[in-house]
Amino acid sequence: MIRWLLGLEPAAFAANTSWSVSTGWPRAGVLLALLAAGGVALGLYLRERALSSRPLAVSLAVLRAGVLAIVVSYLADTRMVLTRRESRQTVVKVLVDRSLSMTVPGLEYSRPED
């Protein structure tokens, strides 16, 4: 399903492919922000617990925590990095010109003798 969501070809998930998640914040900062967002959601749940039914309050707390986690992720500039390592054979092509035009006298550079 991730392949479909990201629009990646199956070749992108080969054995030499790795992916990671990186953020613009230090990991401790992201963790603290997520904990603070969870605390806000929990605080709102505890406040609303007496005003509504338990399933509704839990559902609202989960939705709020999810939205706050998405906001923190956006602010932290979270991104998924897909790295593919390819090893290619090195090819060097050499052109050797032994035509008569290369033997014209008076050229600035002369052809080295074999």
Side-chain angles (χ1 to χ4, degrees):
M1 176 149 176
I2 291 177
R3 287 185 229 168
W4 178 75
L5 285 173
L6 298 176
L8 297 173
E9 297 296 323
F13 287 93
N16 57 354
T17 302
S18 65
W19 38 317
S20 63
V21 176
S22 66
T23 64
W25 292 359
R27 287 186 182 178
V30 174
L31 182 62
L32 286 174
L34 287 175
L35 286 174
V40 167
L42 181 64
L44 290 173
Y45 164 74
L46 293 174
R47 194 178 93 196
E48 288 180 346
R49 186 173 50 169
L51 301 175
S52 61
S53 67
R54 183 178 174 97
L56 178 64
V58 169
S59 299
L60 288 174
V62 168
L63 288 173
R64 286 182 184 131
V67 168
L68 290 173
I70 290 171
V71 168
V72 168
S73 173
Y74 179 75
L75 292 175
D77 192 24
T78 304
R79 56 198 169 272
M80 185 179 76
V81 179
L82 182 67
T83 306
R84 184 185 327 175
R85 290 184 176 26
E86 293 182 12
S87 54
R88 296 182 181 180
Q89 187 176 6
T90 306
V91 177
V92 177
K93 296 184 180 183
V94 178
L95 176 67
V96 178
D97 187 3
R98 294 184 181 208
S99 65
L100 290 176
S101 64
M102 297 306 293
T103 60
V104 174
L107 292 177
E108 190 172 324
Y109 300 101
S110 61
R111 191 172 94 188
E113 298 296 323
D114 290 333

